[in-house]
Amino acid sequence: MSSGDEPLLLGPGPSPVAVRVLEAAARPLVGHLDPRFLAEMDEVRSMLRELCETGNPFTLPISGTGSAGMEAAVANLVEEGDSCVIGVNGVFGGRIAELVRRHGGEPLLVEVPFGEAIPQERLIEVARDRQARLLAVVHAETSTGVLQPIDRLASGLEGLDCLLLVDAVTSLGGVPVRVDAWGIDALYSGTQKCLSAPPGLAPLTVSDRAFKRVRSRRAPPHSWYLDLQLLAGYWDEGGARAYHHTAPVAAIRSLAEALRVLQEEPAAERHERHLRTARHLWAGLAELGFELLVEESVRTPMLTSVLVPDGVDEAALRRSLLADHGIEVGGGLGPLKGRVFRVGLMGHGAREANVDRLLEALASFLRSR
Ligand code: PLP
């Protein structure tokens, strides 16, 4: 997978990409309405449905990174004046709130400190009290490494006309994501985390109930590019395949190959590999004297925030890992800047050998001080 010269990507994304996935993007191009490409689009949609454990007809990759998936969901599901409950325990919950505001909604924040999970009951209570039209949460908050419990939200919202929106940018592929079983109405992800494809696409799935909301909007969404009804006209099998925008052919082909790679490993084994590798990291870090930001019961396997020990310069640590050992890790975001560094074990990156290489590099950095 690696020639040895490029950095080992153990940060918050992008994650390492298999050569065959890169090669899929390098194949000679075909037109975006070529029947062979249309067949590959259909295959991508069906593999995404399987990955998200959903039968949602509207399931496709949005052109753009994870934030485009977030904006597509918000722009289509939120209308002027809608009350939207947003769980905020990190940077990305805050980003959803900002998008809701920009698209005319009224964000109602349910906040806990960075590094903690939000009690599901609190989210449900606020949604019920305020008759919210949308409840949005981040499943794996990449700025902290918290895995937010979401399995009881939909049943708590029963009887309300409140859609459940989930950010699965970092969680999809690394931990179970059960769209239908958990009653999720809309969920978006990104290609550069546990799917191990290059950044540039945002898988999005929308339930029939939520799509009905999209169809019955009082006004079209403010975004033309991310208008889901227009996108469906291009992507829908058996539909008009009407030109909307030029599909990023190479990116979609590399995503197709990444999804085929994913399918070669049973989901339960893939999830177990992520957890096993993360536990190996956590044990090794503890031996080196590091402490972690997030309590183990709500810690994501894919992303670990490591507290920077007193007297250690976090930026110098990351610089040394990259320059002296060829390993990229991430810095802290928002209020955690300088206080943590972030280790991503996502997709192909989730291997014990990678963890061993990182632990050796960290030990060497500590010795050299
Ligand atoms: N949501 C989460 C949880 C993320 O981790 C990220 C990116 O790291 C995003 C949204 C935004 O994705 P992108 O940077 O691909 O636009």
Side-chain angles (χ1 to χ4, degrees), residues 85-87 108-112 117-130 132 135 137 148-158 160 162 164 298:
V85 174
I86 323 281
L108 306 167
L109 308 191
V110 177
E111 295 180 88
V112 299
I118 309 165
Q120 295 187 76
E121 300 68 32
R122 267 188 67 191
L123 292 160
I124 294 165
E125 199 182 300
V126 179
R128 290 202 157 277
D129 273 3
R130 304 295 293 268
L135 190 162
V137 282
Q148 170 65 39
I150 56 174
D151 56 327
R152 285 184 288 109
L153 291 174
S155 57
L157 297 175
E158 241 164 62
L160 272 190
C162 180
L164 175 58
V298 289

Side-chain angles (χ1 to χ4, degrees), residues 2-342:
S2 151
S3 69
D5 291 336
E6 64 267 29
L8 174 59
L9 297 174
L10 298 184
S15 65
V17 176
V19 168
R20 62 185 263 207
V21 172
L22 295 172
E23 283 172 352
R27 277 156 55 203
L29 282 185
V30 293
H32 69 110
L33 292 169
D34 184 299
R36 284 163 297 182
F37 181 61
L38 296 179
E40 206 157 11
M41 286 163 64
D42 296 345
E43 187 193 351
V44 164
R45 300 184 76 181
S46 123
M47 289 189 288
L48 284 177
R49 285 189 194 103
E50 193 176 322
L51 188 64
C52 296
E53 300 189 30
T54 183
N56 288 342
F58 189 98
T59 303
L60 53 80
I62 296 287
S63 304
T65 61
S67 305
M70 188 190 283
E71 188 136 14
V74 171
N76 286 271
L77 298 178
V78 175
E79 287 213 72
E80 214 60 40
D82 281 356
S83 297
C84 303
V85 174
I86 323 281
V88 179
N89 57 350
V91 165
F92 295 104
R95 188 175 296 183
I96 301 177
E98 172 63 14
L99 289 181
V100 164
R101 203 172 292 118
R102 287 183 184 219
H103 287 277
E106 189 200 335
L108 306 167
L109 308 191
V110 177
E111 295 180 88
V112 299
F114 279 34
E116 292 179 19
I118 309 165
Q120 295 187 76
E121 300 68 32
R122 267 188 67 191
L123 292 160
I124 294 165
E125 199 182 300
V126 179
R128 290 202 157 277
D129 273 3
R130 304 295 293 268
Q131 294 288 299
R133 298 269 291 158
L134 184 88
L135 190 162
V137 282
V138 179
H139 192 201
E141 185 36 94
T142 325
S143 62
T144 61
V146 167
L147 187 64
Q148 170 65 39
I150 56 174
D151 56 327
R152 285 184 288 109
L153 291 174
S155 57
L157 297 175
E158 241 164 62
L160 272 190
D161 185 17
C162 180
L163 300 175
L164 175 58
L165 169 63
V166 172
D167 174 319
V169 170
T170 286
S171 59
L172 186 65
V175 292
V177 171
R178 311 212 149 100
V179 169
D180 289 355
W182 293 341
I184 296 169
D185 288 295
L187 174 141
Y188 57 87
S189 187
T191 43
Q192 77 274 25
K193 313 271 186 180
C194 295
L195 308 191
S196 280
L201 292 171
L204 170 70
T205 185
V206 177
S207 71
D208 287 343
R209 175 169 95 121
F211 212 81
K212 216 179 265 169
R213 169 94 63 96
V214 174
R215 271 201 217 92
S216 59
R217 289 179 62 90
R218 297 186 297 276
H222 290 301
S223 171
W224 175 89
Y225 193 70
L226 299 171
D227 183 322
L228 300 188
Q229 292 189 83
L230 298 179
L231 290 174
Y234 170 57
W235 278 86
D236 272 357
E237 297 124 70
R241 298 286 195 181
Y243 162 72
H244 174 255
H245 68 276
T246 309
V249 174
I252 291 171
R253 282 174 148 186
S254 75
L255 172 60
E257 193 61 18
L259 292 170
R260 290 182 201 114
V261 172
L262 242 81
Q263 285 193 332
E264 287 167 13
E265 183 181 22
E269 282 176 31
R270 179 167 16 92
H271 300 148
E272 161 56 26
R273 172 169 57 80
H274 278 84
L275 191 57
R276 192 178 60 242
T277 313
R279 286 190 172 138
H280 186 56
L281 172 72
W282 300 339
L285 287 171
E287 263 178 41
L288 291 176
F290 286 102
E291 289 179 25
L292 307 182
L293 175 73
V294 176
E295 190 192 300
E296 186 162 351
S297 62
V298 289
R299 196 184 295 152
T300 58
M302 301 81 70
L303 192 287
T304 300
S305 286
V306 187
L307 293 167
V308 178
D310 285 343
V312 170
D313 176 347
E314 181 269 336
L317 180 147
R318 279 189 295 119
R319 264 197 312 275
S320 160
L321 287 179
L322 188 58
D324 306 330
H325 304 275
I327 301 174
E328 180 183 282
V329 298
L333 289 182
L336 295 174
K337 188 168 165 37
R339 287 185 48 213
V340 301
F341 64 94
R342 293 177 299 148

